[in-house]
């Protein structure tokens, strides 16, 4: 993933989306992503911190602050300006891609599985 042409996984997309309203700690990000997808996406802790590390290296998120809760450090992450641009660009790309399929004559929604 580069700053010029980032390629986001679904988990990375929802991590960025979770941070739209402000900084969150890891567990908060996991719960926000789960809630945003109606429980469909459950990000494992290891997956989350790997994604956060890649997103931070790409300049899309940054550590915001830490606080101590029950004797343990809780790090909060925030969306950067580049992260906001990337998230919006990806949302637009998905919307345009979906428009190719949704709304076609005779389309009544999701095809049966």
């Amino acid at each position: 993933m580069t700053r010029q042409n980032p390629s986001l996984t679904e988990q990375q997309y929802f991590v960025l989306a979770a941070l739209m309203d402000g900084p969150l700690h890891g567990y908060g990000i996991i719960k926000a992503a789960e809630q945003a997808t109606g429980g469909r996406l459950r990000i494992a802790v290891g997956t989350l911190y790997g994604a956060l590390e890649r997103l931070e290296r790409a300049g899309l998120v940054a550590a915001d602050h830490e606080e101590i809760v029950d004797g343990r450090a809780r790090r909060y992450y925030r969306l950067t300006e580049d992260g906001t641009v990337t998230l919006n660009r990806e949302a637009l790309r998905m919307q345009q891609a979906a428009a190719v399929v949704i709304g076609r004559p005779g389309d009544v929604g999701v095809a049966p599985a």
Side-chain angles (χ1 to χ4, degrees):
M1 176 174 23
T2 66
R3 286 184 187 198
Q4 292 79 23
N5 189 17
S7 177
L8 298 177
T9 65
E10 182 179 31
Q11 289 86 357
Q12 290 170 333
Y13 176 82
F14 281 103
V15 166
L16 294 179
L19 298 173
M20 286 187 314
D21 292 330
L24 287 173
H25 55 81
Y27 183 72
I29 294 170
I30 289 171
K31 296 315 280 178
E34 190 174 326
Q35 184 177 12
T37 63
R40 182 185 58 76
L41 180 66
R42 294 190 175 147
I43 302 174
V45 172
T47 301
L48 172 69
Y49 287 103
L52 283 169
E53 183 179 314
R54 285 185 295 281
L55 292 168
E56 193 167 19
R57 269 191 314 228
L60 304 180
V61 302
D64 189 72
H65 66 279
E66 285 188 10
E67 63 184 28
I68 304 299
V69 177
D70 295 330
R72 297 174 61 195
R74 181 178 283 176
R75 178 175 290 169
Y76 284 74
Y77 294 87
R78 66 175 170 76
L79 201 54
T80 64
E81 188 174 321
D82 284 347
T84 300
V85 168
T86 298
L87 180 60
N88 289 331
R89 186 177 297 134
E90 183 67 5
L92 180 60
R93 184 194 68 76
M94 288 190 299
Q95 183 181 35
Q96 290 169 339
V100 171
V101 176
I102 297 171
R104 294 178 66 114
D107 183 24
V108 293
V110 178

